[in-house]
Amino acid sequence: MAKIIAIAIQKGGVGKTTTAINLAASLAALDYKTLLIDGDPQANATTGNGFELKNIQLSLYDCMVNETPANQIILETETPNLYVLPSHVDLVGAEIELINHPNREHILSAVLEEQKKQFDFIIIDCSPSLGLITINALTAADSIIIPVQCEYFALEGLGKLLNTVKIVQARLNPSLQIEGVLMTMYDGRLRLSNQVVEEIKNHFEDLVFNTIIHRNTKLSEAPSFGKPVIMYDAVCSGTVNYLNLAKEILQKNNLTKIKNEDKIID
């Protein structure tokens, strides 16, 4: 059964989609069959894997509103073991169309019921808002990763998200856990970056990942080529950071594997 991880924060520009794309690709590179769900109407996780929106006929919108089976929509990427359930701007309308649905918070859970049997990991890229689609993602997820930018307003939006997580745990998904807080856009030359990391670690202690995502030019360039960074530059610091994050998550979940030649075996 797949482990479902939502990546969410009520704040844009903190590396949320970058994390979703590159964590999913890193897990795939470590030989785990991974599905990346683009839950953001901006569809950056879709285009960041090389798909042009004009060619997307069916999307997550169709799964949630029209009950189209996910198997008919999932796309195979150029990255081995990595698949994408694409998004589309239509997803904006889903919040309104589903408002009177009797089971509206659990629609995505139902969509993923079959997919959980087919994948090792399912990563959900959420939109930077706490609307119905994000609530669906948190209801369907086993855990949540919270990306936090190493800048002055780092804690902005974090309080509301944590409050939402508590509400979801109480009412919709008691098993939802915080996988970890991920520090992103770190620049070791700046005193502010180090101060923010220290403050976040003081606040959240063991919930903070040891892995920190550094500012990296290749990481910023890769989406414009429609590739995860590991497929764009396999040795840059961005690739190393996200591979380390994937390995840390595997260790945390007791899913570490032992290499046997080029194959990774349980």
Side-chain angles (χ1 to χ4, degrees):
M1 292 288 279
K3 181 176 178 70
I4 304 176
I5 303 175
I7 300 177
I9 181 74
Q10 193 188 358
K11 191 174 188 296
V14 300
K16 178 182 55 58
T17 298
T18 298
T19 294
I21 292 171
N22 292 298
L23 172 59
S26 295
L27 289 165
L30 293 171
D31 215 22
Y32 290 86
K33 189 178 180 185
T34 304
L35 173 63
L36 172 60
I37 296 177
D38 192 345
D40 188 342
Q42 295 179 80
N44 290 334
T46 302
T47 58
N49 275 287
F51 300 106
E52 291 191 33
L53 293 187
K54 64 182 181 182
N55 296 329
I56 299 294
Q57 301 297 317
L58 296 169
S59 69
L60 180 61
Y61 170 88
D62 296 281
C63 283
M64 298 189 71
V65 176
N66 300 326
E67 299 183 10
T68 306
N71 283 339
Q72 296 180 23
I73 298 173
I74 290 170
L75 304 171
E76 188 172 0
T77 73
E78 292 182 3
T79 306
N81 292 321
L82 180 61
Y83 299 77
V84 170
L85 203 170
S87 184
H88 194 273
V89 69
D90 290 349
L91 196 59
V92 171
E95 305 242 345
I96 298 167
E97 293 181 58
L98 296 173
I99 199 73
N100 293 319
H101 193 287
N103 214 19
R104 63 187 182 189
E105 296 92 353
H106 296 273
I107 296 169
L108 187 57
S109 297
V111 167
L112 297 180
E113 201 58 46
E114 281 302 310
Q115 306 313 312
K116 290 196 305 191
K117 303 169 189 173
Q118 299 176 32
F119 291 90
D120 298 312
F121 281 94
I122 297 175
I123 306 297
I124 308 174
D125 180 32
C126 300
S127 65
S129 67
L130 297 179
L132 183 58
I133 305 299
T134 299
I135 297 298
N136 263 266
L138 296 180
T139 303
D142 298 306
S143 64
I144 176 173
I145 290 175
I146 307 169
V148 175
Q149 191 176 1
C150 294
E151 294 198 352
Y152 185 71
F153 293 111
L155 296 174
E156 195 176 271
L158 193 52
K160 282 190 177 180
L161 177 64
L162 292 173
N163 189 49
T164 301
V165 169
K166 286 180 182 176
I167 292 170
V168 171
Q169 287 171 329
R171 301 181 185 177
L172 300 167
N173 183 6
S175 61
L176 179 65
Q177 297 180 331
I178 296 176
E179 191 75 31
V181 175
L182 177 67
M183 305 304 302
T184 64
M185 302 182 184
Y186 174 80
D187 187 339
R189 298 168 299 177
L190 301 178
R191 184 190 301 175
L192 178 61
S193 284
N194 293 300
Q195 287 174 338
V196 171
V197 169
E198 190 175 334
E199 184 178 355
I200 294 292
K201 285 187 173 178
N202 285 338
H203 266 84
F204 297 99
E205 300 175 342
D206 293 342
L207 283 178
V208 183
F209 285 109
N210 293 322
T211 302
I212 295 176
I213 309 301
H214 293 68
R215 283 194 180 275
N216 177 241
T217 305
K218 301 291 186 182
L219 204 52
S220 303
E221 291 174 354
S224 64
F225 291 88
K227 295 180 179 181
V229 71
I230 196 169
M231 298 294 283
Y232 178 62
D233 186 335
V235 295
C236 72
S237 64
T239 296
V240 173
N241 288 165
Y242 278 108
L243 279 171
N244 285 339
L245 175 63
K247 290 173 184 174
E248 188 173 346
I249 289 169
L250 293 173
Q251 289 174 346
K252 187 174 182 179
N253 289 279
N254 297 316
L255 291 169
T256 49
K257 293 186 172 187
I258 301 169
K259 279 194 174 183
N260 179 9
E261 297 177 353
D262 292 331
K263 189 72 177 171
I264 302 175
I265 311 288
D266 280 317

